[in-house]
Amino acid sequence: MNNLNETAKALVAPGKGLLAADESLHTADKRLTEYGIEAGPEMRRQYRNLFLAASGAEQHLSGVILFEETLGQTADDGTAFPALLKAHGIVPGIKVDKGTEAMAESQDELITNGLIGLAERLVSYRAQGARFTKWRAVIRIDGDRLPTNHALLENAKRLASYAHIAQEAGLVPILEPEVLLGGNHSRLRAKEVITETLKAVFAAVEDQAVDRTAVLVKTAMALSGSESGKKDTPEEVAESTLEALIAAVPKEVPGIVFLSGGQSADQATDNLRAIALRAKEMDAPWPLTFSYARALQGEALALWQGKSEHIAAAQEAFISRLAKVAAASEGR
Ligand code: 13P
């Protein structure tokens, strides 16, 4: 178990964070199409290569979360992606949930699947080089109506079951109950829901004898809903986010990482910087850093357009954003 604690700590090493490159096949194709790029396995491989083979990324990345397909694909130079990351001192991870479906009892809410056969899948992911894992639950806010307690509890139970299985398999689990930005709720409502969600997760973690010194938490920041018309200042986001985390996350947890959740790249950078500064002032008990997908990749994808002659410019944009986000994670 000690090894898992060390891996978890390495993933939140100062000045470093994670790239979430684990979009499902459907989401990856959607992302490519949005930027006018052809979908399909080969373009998805080229898309992964753009980010994973970008030279200099290792200065700012401790780990990358991959999707199953990428774990078995090779970079342009023929190296398997997990081996390429490892050669650069970046820890390969894998998203292991199987996506969401509507809950039978609450049709506007989602439950995450993937526990069946998980232990067997983890054995092969580990053999392919993965050292940590992620499971994403999705929590929707709709005024005071959603989330229901039922959705919080069921998702929390599955997160804890997953974490137990991952630790048994020798892989660090990232617990990601993503509270969605969509909606017209206030930032304070987001804070309250993030708090309740994480409390439910840690109650389940306790129930299922998960080692909390060998997990990471991945969370949204506390932000006003995207349809609320309100734009929070970074200081407001930092205050509310840290209040939620302090109320709900045990101090033994080795680290907390943030998703970007649909914020612009600049917002995700500025809010992270404010959180890092406030965390230092408050002497928060855990390292805090990024685990972004869209905020790290969007600018590069827009430049790349699927064309080889644009790779260099796209990689430069990626490294430039990554350096800014990594600096922000240290309050700079
Ligand atoms: P975003 O940073 O695009 O929100 O993605 C992070 C992630 O892993 C969501 O599950």
Side-chain angles (χ1 to χ4, degrees):
M1 228 36 129
N2 254 343
N3 269 344
L4 294 187
N5 174 258
E6 275 165 31
T7 303
K9 282 189 187 152
L11 290 171
V12 293
K16 291 194 173 182
L18 305 176
L19 168 66
D22 62 339
E23 296 85 358
S24 65
L25 303 186
H26 174 75
T27 305
D29 280 346
K30 197 173 101 193
R31 209 67 88 222
L32 292 174
T33 312
E34 272 164 19
Y35 289 100
I37 305 165
E38 193 188 320
E42 172 51 21
M43 288 315 283
R44 288 196 298 267
R45 190 198 66 75
Q46 291 188 30
Y47 159 40
R48 300 316 187 181
N49 191 82
L50 182 73
F51 295 98
L52 306 186
S55 105
E58 66 278 5
Q59 288 176 40
H60 311 294
L61 287 181
S62 53
V64 175
I65 314 172
L66 301 170
F67 192 72
E68 189 176 31
E69 179 186 57
T70 317
L71 204 62
Q73 285 179 324
T74 54
D76 287 353
D77 70 358
T79 317
F81 281 124
L84 178 77
L85 293 174
K86 194 162 174 244
H88 288 112
I90 300 172
V91 184
I94 171 96
K95 169 190 168 81
V96 303
D97 68 73
K98 291 281 188 188
T100 57
E101 65 177 341
M103 295 192 84
E105 313 83 347
S106 177
Q107 288 284 314
D108 295 337
E109 296 186 286
L110 298 168
I111 184 81
T112 302
N113 290 320
L115 289 174
I116 296 166
L118 178 60
E120 292 75 22
R121 285 193 288 126
L122 294 186
V123 173
S124 53
Y125 297 152
R126 198 170 197 289
Q128 287 174 284
R131 289 295 175 267
F132 70 98
T133 59
K134 176 188 114 172
W135 177 288
R136 175 174 176 258
V138 179
I139 305 297
R140 197 181 141 202
I141 303 180
D142 180 13
D144 290 334
R145 189 176 75 92
L146 300 182
T148 61
N149 212 25
H150 180 70
L152 290 191
L153 292 179
E154 289 304 310
N155 275 296
K157 273 194 228 165
R158 289 196 189 183
L159 274 161
S161 300
Y162 138 75
H164 187 93
I165 296 168
Q167 289 181 344
E168 289 284 311
L171 293 158
V172 172
I174 297 183
L175 303 159
E176 182 187 17
E178 174 172 358
V179 174
L180 296 176
L181 182 61
N184 58 14
H185 52 270
S186 66
R187 183 182 76 260
L188 296 186
R189 174 70 178 140
K191 176 185 87 170
E192 178 182 273
V193 172
I194 292 172
T195 307
E196 291 315 309
T197 300
L198 290 171
K199 279 188 176 171
V201 168
F202 281 98
V205 156
E206 193 67 32
D207 273 357
Q208 299 196 39
V210 174
D211 178 358
R212 59 194 189 185
T213 71
V215 302
L216 292 174
V217 171
K218 178 161 174 168
T219 178
M221 298 173 187
L223 299 161
S224 299
S226 54
E227 288 111 57
S228 67
K230 169 95 174 58
K231 196 165 174 299
D232 312 295
T233 66
E235 292 69 29
E236 287 171 335
V237 174
E239 196 63 34
S240 297
T241 302
L242 284 161
E243 280 176 17
L245 297 178
I246 291 199
V249 181
K251 62 179 187 320
E252 297 82 10
V253 167
I256 299 176
V257 298
F258 294 100
L259 57 96
S260 58
Q263 301 179 70
S264 72
D266 281 334
Q267 271 178 324
T269 309
D270 294 344
N271 287 336
L272 181 63
R273 183 183 308 107
I275 291 172
L277 288 171
R278 187 74 187 111
K280 267 189 213 170
E281 280 170 15
M282 296 170 74
D283 205 15
W286 348 256
L288 300 151
T289 191
F290 59 93
S291 175
Y292 293 165
R294 283 166 287 178
L296 284 175
Q297 299 180 99
E299 292 155 313
L301 280 174
L303 286 168
W304 177 43
Q305 295 170 350
K307 300 199 171 81
S308 55
E309 63 270 29
H310 295 160
I311 291 175
Q315 287 181 329
E316 198 179 313
F318 167 55
I319 297 296
S320 157
R321 176 56 62 183
L322 182 57
K324 284 184 207 162
V325 172
S329 74
E330 296 196 288
R332 291 186 283 117

